[in-house]
Amino acid sequence: MQRWPVVLFLAWVCFLFFAGIGLFMSGFLLTRIELASSSSCSDPLVPPLWERQSLPPGSCWAPQRFSKAVLVIIDALHFEFARFDPAKASPLPYENKLGVLHQLATSQPRHARLYRFRADPPTATMQRIKGLTTGSLPTFIDVGSNFASYAIQEDNLLAQLVQNGRRVVFMGDDTWEGLFPKKFFRSYFFPSFNVKDLHTVDDGILQHLYPTVDSGEWDVLIAHFLGVDHCGHKHGPDHPEMAKKLTQMNEMLRSLVDHLGNDTLLLVAGDHGMTETGDHGGDSEKEVNAALFVYSRTPLFGSGPPEEPETIPQVNLVPTVALLLGVPIPYSNIGEVMAELFTGDSDAVSAALQQLSVYHINAKQVDRFLQSYSLVAQDLPAEQLQHLQELFSSAVEEHTQLLTQVQGTTVPPELKPRLGSLISRFQRYLREARAVCTQSWARFHPLRMVGGCILIASSCLLCYVASELAASSQSLCRSCLLYPLFWGPVGAALLWLVHVFTQEGLDLLLVSSWAAAASQLGFFWHWWGQHLKRARLTGSQPPLASGGLRQRLQAWLGLAFPMGILVFRCGAMFSDSFVVAEARVAPFLLASLVMLLVGKLHWDGHLTVPEGPKQQLLGISSYRREIWYLLCLVAMLLVCVRLSSFFHQCREEIPQCRPSIFLSPLASLRNTRAKNLFYLLCVALLAGLVYAVQSWLRHYGNLNSSDPLVLFVRWGFPLVVLCIACYWAVASSADDSLGKLQELVQVAVVVFPRAVYGLASMGLLLLLCNPMTVFAKDTRESAGSIVTPYLGVPGSEVDFLHVIPQIYKRMQESQKSRLERGSCRATVAAYGLGSVYSAALVIALTLLGFLLMLLHSERLSFAFLLLFVEAFVLLHIHTCARGLAGDAGHQPIFPAIHWNAAFVGFHLDHSTNLLPAVLVGANTFASHILFAVGCPLLLLWPFVCEVSTSQRKKPKKESREELQEVEEHMMEMRLRESPEEFSTALLRLGLKYLFVLGAQLLACVCAAMILRRHLMVWKVFAPKFLFESLGFVVSSICLLLGISLVMRVDCAVSTWFSQLRLR
């Protein structure tokens, strides 16, 4: 059997797809260009507002209003959390808890105000911190580095504060440490990634907050609380724990206000909101709707608050805070100042002049940035830039004319209406500039996108061509793999030489893409040459006479139904409505495909028995007995597909949708009886899965030996279930209901998952070392002594009298045995040999299922059971059809990612991002992993299921000798009769699997490229492309692992036969 050539060929095909994905992604998800320029006090940006006026000491660009500022960031502070409604008699757990904000706003209306603080998507914490400090918009791809933060090189508010001698103190989320290294005068960082930890960060801040404020050794203090966000992730907003956490924040703010001085500005902000399930990351209304509260002991506003809180973008905070503290606005800011904060106790005219001054500064800063950015990037439309320049020039010209007519702070009455008009013109310019940047900062590289599409499309074509070639040539792997392996490095070397001579930097992604394209050309060149040779050899035969064309047409017609479903699914990827409703459409397509399969079998006459003369006369056709078994399987599959609809995640585009109750953990249930009932059902499902797997292995004889792997399946599987059950019991308990056992519970939450990790790893290691689950019983006669030695006196006559009868008896028994058997051939009974390949895969899938169920919430074990049942039914339907002729609550959106999976078994923060990425990825792509690893079962299962059918078809009058001859190569051992065909079948199976996945990936890529200016591109098509790409990578790697496991079992079987022959 060709083992390594098959794996290497499939790995090369996967590399081709990976290169195409990377090339397209580099053109579709480029980050915007970050300018290295920074603002400074010496910039010739702002002339004096009027003649002979100078700025006070410590001020840049505008007079400093506050010498100190406290920025309190309450992560995931939704606006509804901060709003207070006295009319609500029975508020929800997250309502009316921050009463101190309402009290300050009503008792001191000119000192405090609440705003709707609108975040720009993506609403991940790192992107929001960038927006809150740079005044710019993070691009879509930045969400991928949310937990692998890199230092912000762009000009930002903290850099300006440090550059101008301000002391910045930080405490809280350690994400800031990676973004702003060595920028803080003093810092207290706490681990932030463990979303199940509600108190470590907040308690650490409270320990240092008030002493730091009272010490006065700071100019700007930033405190980033995480408890509210983590409580949302763990319990959701509608939970008593959220009420406790918001009450804690309320008491913190009440005490903090008492410690502030008159020269201090207090800002309480949320970086983003949260959904009904406590998630964030997307752009739904609840995710972008945060809160901002502003307070000072000195008057801030010239009038009272409006009836409805004003909505301001988050980027507006940066220029506002910068000018209030007397530092330059960061160079790349596109936000608009909150001009009402610059009025104070001034009269209407003086307030208007101050607002006009800050608007003029803000507009000149934004105009300078747009001019600098347009020189290095071409992604801002020239027409819109020209329009913005005209707006700015006319506003500045009118501003200059107005200032020439102003004497000090005295404004003639006829100029007062012009003040308001000019302020409106600056506002219009700033808002339109921000809108242009928001719409245009998707900087595409069309050539790379087209190149990526071509690579993926040609890879799909290669999968089809190679699959057809493998059917006709069993030496495809060795013959066709040499050419790509040669031409790939040649193409990469040529590109490297070009870069050497042009003295340009070498792009590793571009080199990989060139190598992939060159290797593809080498393969197709070799294939075309072989095709021409074959055409010349068979050119003398008419195509129709040979029957090849007719057979191909029949094969293509046979593929019409499944290919039609695939084409429909791929074509629907161009519809945003389909992508939104894909979770409901995909099960329908699966059910339709199965029904069409049954209909096609009936149409082709494979479900009926041949008609006799009597049946032909009566016009009656009788069906085979197998049809009822097939119909039962189809009905079972349809029921499972219907039940799977209960495990659904909602998208923001479907407002009437309510997320499934099975997605939330048991800890969120308040009803103790319901919690206990669900827990018992989940444990029963786990035990049922183990019982079913062990019964299947025992039925086929794979649990008879005493090998370590078999012993692990017997005793290790129940132990894994016990550890998972204990973990679920501990994790579902309320945090405050265990009293003194709290410390023990915290240890158990870590110990039990790690025990599962260890046991599953041990099982996989045993499976890799010795995957044989065969029990060999040797029935050959022992070649021991013929006689029993005489123990009497040697040499006597009695010795002969003792030996001779034994020799005669032995000869008699031997002859009788030969007459009974008809031959003296030795036999070995091997139990489980006919299902040895499938048994290894079933054990591997069960171990992976344990790990994946551990990473999900407890009630999703129901979904995993349905997943296994659907796979089992599909395999049997596939077997019946051949003999006769899913999702675990995930959506392709960022809020659907279960980040808490990264801390199953890890109580403290991770030291590296690799392990949490693996755990979160395994949680997100659980169904991809299981189906890809189990893909070889599509080839093996029909051979496993033939044992029962073959025994039913045996004639009763066969002799034992003929029965042994028939059963000698039974079930999966038939594959070893022709090892080359076995390897070819595995290769074709892998290629077809990659072809189906690649076709869907190609559709997503084309949809994202063609619809890149679509209104829903960043909301629907870009997330779909990212999730489909990551899913393809995960599936292809797991497919290679599954096929490699089959190869490992085949190697072990070969070794077993070799050792058997030596006995």
Side-chain angles (χ1 to χ4, degrees):
M1 179 182 183
Q2 302 181 55
R3 298 189 183 100
W4 288 113
V6 170
V7 176
L8 288 178
F9 193 89
L10 290 174
W12 169 64
V13 175
C14 294
F15 165 72
L16 299 180
F17 279 106
F18 296 167
I21 293 172
L23 187 61
F24 179 86
M25 191 176 293
S26 66
F28 181 68
L29 296 176
L30 281 178
T31 58
R32 64 176 177 83
I33 295 178
E34 295 184 355
L35 302 183
S37 305
S38 61
S39 302
S40 66
C41 291
S42 59
D43 289 341
L45 192 63
V46 184
L49 298 182
W50 42 79
E51 293 181 2
R52 294 181 303 275
Q53 180 183 0
S54 61
L55 294 174
S59 300
C60 282
W61 295 13
Q64 176 185 3
R65 284 209 63 192
F66 295 96
S67 60
K68 294 180 179 293
V70 177
L71 173 60
V72 176
I73 299 177
I74 301 178
D75 210 291
L77 181 65
H78 192 275
F79 178 77
E80 296 301 325
F81 296 179
R83 193 171 193 173
F84 193 90
D85 187 0
K88 285 197 173 184
S90 55
L92 296 173
Y94 60 83
E95 293 179 330
N96 291 0
K97 297 300 182 292
L98 296 179
V100 64
L101 305 184
H102 176 73
Q103 177 186 349
L104 292 173
T106 53
S107 62
Q108 305 178 54
R110 297 183 61 188
H111 296 251
R113 186 164 297 180
L114 180 65
Y115 294 91
R116 292 184 183 270
F117 205 34
R118 194 167 188 84
D120 296 295
T123 51
T125 297
M126 192 198 74
Q127 283 67 40
R128 294 298 84 237
I129 293 175
K130 285 186 175 181
L132 289 169
T133 55
T134 63
S136 187
L137 302 177
T139 50
F140 183 85
I141 191 60
D142 283 342
V143 75
S145 56
N146 188 38
F147 297 103
S149 306
Y150 299 100
I152 296 179
Q153 304 297 332
E154 201 171 18
D155 193 16
N156 57 81
L157 184 60
L158 267 69
Q160 288 296 332
L161 290 169
V162 174
Q163 181 179 332
N164 287 275
R166 310 299 170 87
R167 297 166 296 177
V168 182
V169 176
F170 178 84
M171 51 189 68
D173 185 353
D174 61 353
T175 304
W176 292 71
E177 182 180 14
L179 295 175
F180 305 100
K182 301 179 180 180
K183 285 289 192 297
F184 300 109
F185 177 75
R186 188 179 297 114
S187 57
Y188 306 96
F189 297 114
F190 303 97
S192 61
F193 192 38
N194 189 356
V195 294
K196 293 186 177 182
D197 184 1
L198 309 185
H199 308 294
T200 298
V201 178
D202 293 0
D203 293 346
I205 295 175
L206 294 176
Q207 182 181 356
H208 300 282
L209 179 62
Y210 307 121
T212 303
V213 172
D214 295 338
S215 68
E217 297 179 356
W218 56 278
D219 296 304
V220 175
L221 190 149
I222 303 174
H224 191 157
F225 291 87
L226 289 177
V228 173
D229 178 67
H230 288 187
C231 184
H233 285 296
K234 185 176 181 179
H235 302 291
D238 192 10
H239 193 275
E241 286 295 326
M242 182 62 75
K244 295 179 182 178
K245 184 53 62 176
L246 289 174
T247 302
Q248 182 188 27
M249 294 296 100
N250 185 69
E251 296 304 319
M252 177 271 299
L253 292 173
R254 189 184 305 277
S255 301
L256 181 61
V257 168
D258 296 336
H259 287 76
L260 298 180
N262 294 331
D263 59 342
T264 303
L265 173 68
L266 174 64
L267 300 164
V268 181
D271 56 343
H272 51 75
M274 69 170 60
T275 63
E276 294 177 349
T277 58
D279 300 313
H280 60 89
D283 60 350
S284 66
E285 184 62 30
K286 292 188 176 183
E287 291 171 278
V288 301
N289 193 15
L292 172 66
F293 180 77
V294 184
Y295 171 77
S296 174
R297 290 185 178 274
T298 58
L300 282 171
F301 307 97
S303 59
E307 295 183 2
E308 188 65 23
E310 183 183 356
T311 300
I312 61 169
Q314 282 191 353
V315 291
N316 289 10
L317 187 66
V318 173
T320 303
V321 173
L323 294 182
L324 286 174
L325 295 178
V327 298
I329 301 175
Y331 194 92
S332 301
N333 165 74
I334 58 169
E336 172 191 344
V337 291
M338 301 164 60
E340 64 271 16
L341 295 177
F342 293 86
T343 56
D345 288 331
S346 306
D347 56 86
V349 176
S350 299
L353 283 174
Q354 292 176 1
Q355 291 182 12
L356 182 60
S357 171
V358 295
Y359 270 125
H360 176 247
I361 296 172
N362 192 187
K364 293 197 73 172
Q365 173 265 322
V366 171
D367 176 70
R368 180 184 64 173
F369 167 70
L370 291 179
Q371 289 183 8
S372 302
Y373 189 84
S374 61
L375 294 177
V376 297
Q378 305 299 324
D379 48 8
L380 297 179
E383 304 82 10
Q384 296 183 358
L385 283 176
Q386 181 64 29
H387 172 67
L388 290 174
Q389 185 62 38
E390 292 174 358
L391 281 178
F392 175 75
S393 300
S394 60
V396 169
E397 182 179 356
E398 183 177 352
H399 177 262
T400 304
Q401 294 176 0
L402 182 64
L403 289 184
T404 58
Q405 303 176 35
V406 173
Q407 300 293 331
T409 57
T410 304
V411 180
E414 64 273 10
L415 297 181
K416 291 181 181 179
R418 293 177 58 188
L419 286 175
S421 174
L422 186 55
I423 290 175
S424 300
R425 293 177 66 178
F426 277 122
Q427 287 178 339
R428 179 188 173 190
Y429 166 75
L430 291 169
R431 291 171 186 177
E432 290 191 11
R434 180 177 178 272
V436 168
C437 294
T438 303
Q439 295 172 3
S440 303
W441 271 341
R443 183 172 173 265
F444 302 114
H445 197 303
L447 189 60
R448 290 198 172 198
M449 287 193 293
V450 172
C453 282
I454 293 175
L455 262 180
I456 296 174
S458 58
S459 300
C460 292
L461 178 62
L462 187 145
C463 288
Y464 176 78
V465 171
S467 177
E468 295 299 318
L469 280 178
S472 58
S473 174
Q474 296 181 0
S475 61
L476 168 76
C477 302
R478 295 175 181 172
S479 61
C480 292
L481 190 59
L482 297 177
Y483 293 90
L485 291 178
F486 172 74
W487 285 108
V490 168
L494 290 176
L495 181 64
W496 178 77
L497 290 176
V498 170
H499 278 274
V500 168
F501 285 111
T502 56
Q503 296 182 352
E504 295 181 1
L506 195 63
D507 189 349
L508 183 60
L509 182 61
L510 201 58
V511 172
S512 302
S513 303
W514 269 91
S519 61
Q520 277 188 345
L521 289 176
F523 174 85
F524 284 117
W525 182 271
H526 174 70
W527 165 72
W528 184 250
Q530 294 294 326
H531 177 72
L532 292 179
K533 290 181 180 179
R534 198 177 299 111
R536 294 193 194 100
L537 293 175
T538 60
S540 59
Q541 297 182 358
L544 293 178
S546 62
L549 181 59
R550 188 180 297 108
Q551 293 176 358
R552 289 186 179 183
L553 287 175
Q554 291 177 355
W556 289 343
L557 289 176
L559 291 174
F561 286 121
M563 290 301 294
I565 295 288
L566 179 61
V567 170
F568 173 78
R569 174 174 169 80
C570 293
M573 295 292 185
F574 291 82
S575 168
D576 57 338
S577 301
F578 171 82
V579 176
V580 169
E582 185 180 12
R584 291 181 292 174
V585 177
F588 170 77
L589 293 179
L590 174 62
S592 302
L593 180 61
V594 174
M595 296 300 293
L596 287 173
L597 173 64
V598 177
K600 184 179 182 302
L601 290 174
H602 182 272
W603 180 266
D604 294 339
H606 296 300
L607 302 183
T608 57
V609 297
E611 297 179 354
K614 182 179 179 180
Q615 292 160 335
Q616 290 180 355
L617 182 63
L618 297 176
I620 301 174
S621 61
S622 59
Y623 288 94
R624 296 184 178 185
R625 287 185 299 175
E626 291 86 349
I627 179 61
W628 307 113
Y629 179 61
L630 177 62
L631 291 179
C632 290
L633 290 174
V634 171
M636 187 183 301
L637 177 65
L638 295 179
V639 171
C640 291
V641 170
R642 184 63 179 171
L643 290 176
S644 65
S645 62
F646 290 101
F647 306 91
H648 64 276
Q649 178 74 276
C650 290
R651 295 183 62 119
E652 182 262 339
E653 296 88 349
I654 309 177
Q656 69 273 13
C657 176
R658 292 294 178 267
S660 171
I661 61 171
F662 295 97
L663 300 180
S664 57
L666 287 180
S668 62
L669 287 179
R670 303 180 188 177
N671 190 329
T672 305
R673 180 175 299 177
K675 181 188 295 186
N676 294 335
L677 178 62
F678 273 116
Y679 172 77
L680 292 177
L681 287 176
C682 294
V683 175
L685 288 177
L686 266 180
L689 176 62
V690 172
Y691 175 78
V693 171
Q694 290 183 344
S695 299
W696 185 89
L697 293 172
R698 188 177 296 109
H699 173 72
Y700 287 104
N702 296 105
L703 277 187
N704 293 325
S705 71
S706 58
D707 291 336
L709 179 61
V710 175
L711 295 177
F712 180 84
V713 174
R714 288 180 186 172
W715 308 107
F717 278 15
L719 187 58
V720 172
V721 171
L722 179 62
C723 292
I724 295 178
C726 292
Y727 170 71
W728 284 350
V730 173
S732 61
S733 303
D735 293 337
D736 57 347
S737 63
L738 298 174
K740 298 180 180 180
L741 297 177
Q742 187 67 33
E743 295 183 1
L744 184 61
V745 168
Q746 294 298 328
V747 175
V749 168
V750 176
V751 170
F752 285 121
R754 292 193 179 184
V756 176
Y757 294 152
L759 289 172
S761 301
M762 181 189 302
L764 293 173
L765 186 61
L766 291 174
L767 182 63
L768 183 63
C769 294
N770 184 17
M772 292 290 291
T773 54
V774 177
F775 174 63
K777 184 178 181 182
D778 196 345
T779 62
R780 293 174 293 186
E781 296 179 357
S782 176
S785 301
I786 297 178
V787 297
T788 305
Y790 177 67
L791 301 179
V793 181
S796 64
E797 193 172 319
V798 182
D799 193 0
F800 293 98
L801 294 177
H802 176 79
V803 172
I804 292 174
Q806 292 189 57
I807 295 176
Y808 174 77
K809 185 178 179 181
R810 180 65 178 174
M811 292 173 61
Q812 190 179 34
E813 290 177 354
S814 178
Q815 186 67 22
K816 183 179 178 181
S817 177
R818 292 190 183 189
L819 290 174
E820 288 180 354
R821 294 199 310 264
S823 66
C824 60
R825 183 178 54 182
T827 58
V828 175
Y831 298 92
L833 188 60
S835 58
V836 64
Y837 296 99
S838 299
L841 285 172
V842 168
I843 294 172
L845 289 173
T846 306
L847 290 172
L848 290 175
F850 288 148
L851 291 175
L852 295 174
M853 279 190 277
L854 182 69
L855 297 177
H856 287 76
S857 62
E858 300 89 344
R859 286 183 285 182
L860 278 180
S861 56
F862 294 95
F864 276 94
L865 177 66
L866 286 177
L867 196 67
F868 280 111
V869 172
E870 287 178 4
F872 177 80
V873 172
L874 284 173
L875 286 172
H876 276 276
I877 291 176
H878 166 66
T879 302
C880 290
R882 177 170 174 172
L884 294 169
D887 180 354
H890 290 285
Q891 285 267 17
I893 49 176
F894 291 105
I897 298 177
H898 301 158
W899 299 108
N900 58 335
F903 281 89
V904 176
F906 297 92
H907 182 64
L908 300 177
D909 195 24
H910 288 284
S911 58
T912 176
N913 293 310
L914 179 61
L915 184 58
V918 170
L919 295 177
V920 173
N923 176 282
T924 306
F925 300 104
S927 58
H928 296 71
I929 295 171
L930 292 176
F931 278 101
V933 172
C935 180
L937 288 175
L938 291 171
L939 172 64
L940 302 171
W941 204 260
F943 294 94
V944 175
C945 295
E946 93 175 343
V947 60
S948 56
T949 58
S950 62
Q951 288 178 354
R952 285 199 302 265
K953 294 178 182 179
K954 290 282 186 294
K956 294 183 179 180
K957 296 183 179 180
E958 287 183 344
S959 64
R960 179 182 296 182
E961 180 180 343
E962 293 173 342
L963 186 62
Q964 287 180 356
E965 189 69 27
V966 171
E967 293 182 349
E968 183 177 358
H969 296 289
M970 196 176 179
M971 299 168 65
E972 291 177 350
M973 287 301 102
R974 296 183 184 275
L975 296 169
R976 291 190 54 82
E977 294 179 344
S978 52
E980 296 297 330
E981 292 183 3
F982 186 16
S983 59
T984 300
L986 278 176
L987 175 64
R988 295 190 67 197
L989 177 65
L991 290 173
K992 289 177 181 178
Y993 195 84
L994 292 176
F995 172 77
V996 173
L997 296 179
Q1000 299 178 75
L1001 175 65
L1002 178 63
C1004 290
V1005 166
C1006 292
M1009 181 180 66
I1010 296 173
L1011 304 174
R1012 61 185 181 276
R1013 293 299 180 187
H1014 192 276
L1015 179 64
M1016 306 293 286
V1017 62
W1018 301 116
K1019 191 179 185 66
V1020 175
F1021 296 109
K1024 177 61 178 174
F1025 158 68
L1026 279 181
F1027 277 84
E1028 198 72 29
S1029 301
L1030 292 175
F1032 179 88
V1033 172
V1034 172
S1035 297
S1036 57
I1037 293 175
C1038 292
L1039 174 67
L1040 291 176
L1041 294 177
I1043 292 180
S1044 299
L1045 179 59
V1046 174
M1047 300 290 184
R1048 175 69 186 92
V1049 177
D1050 185 74
C1051 182
V1053 171
S1054 299
T1055 304
W1056 185 83
F1057 275 113
S1058 300
Q1059 293 176 352
L1060 190 63
R1061 293 190 188 99
L1062 295 176
R1063 292 182 182 178

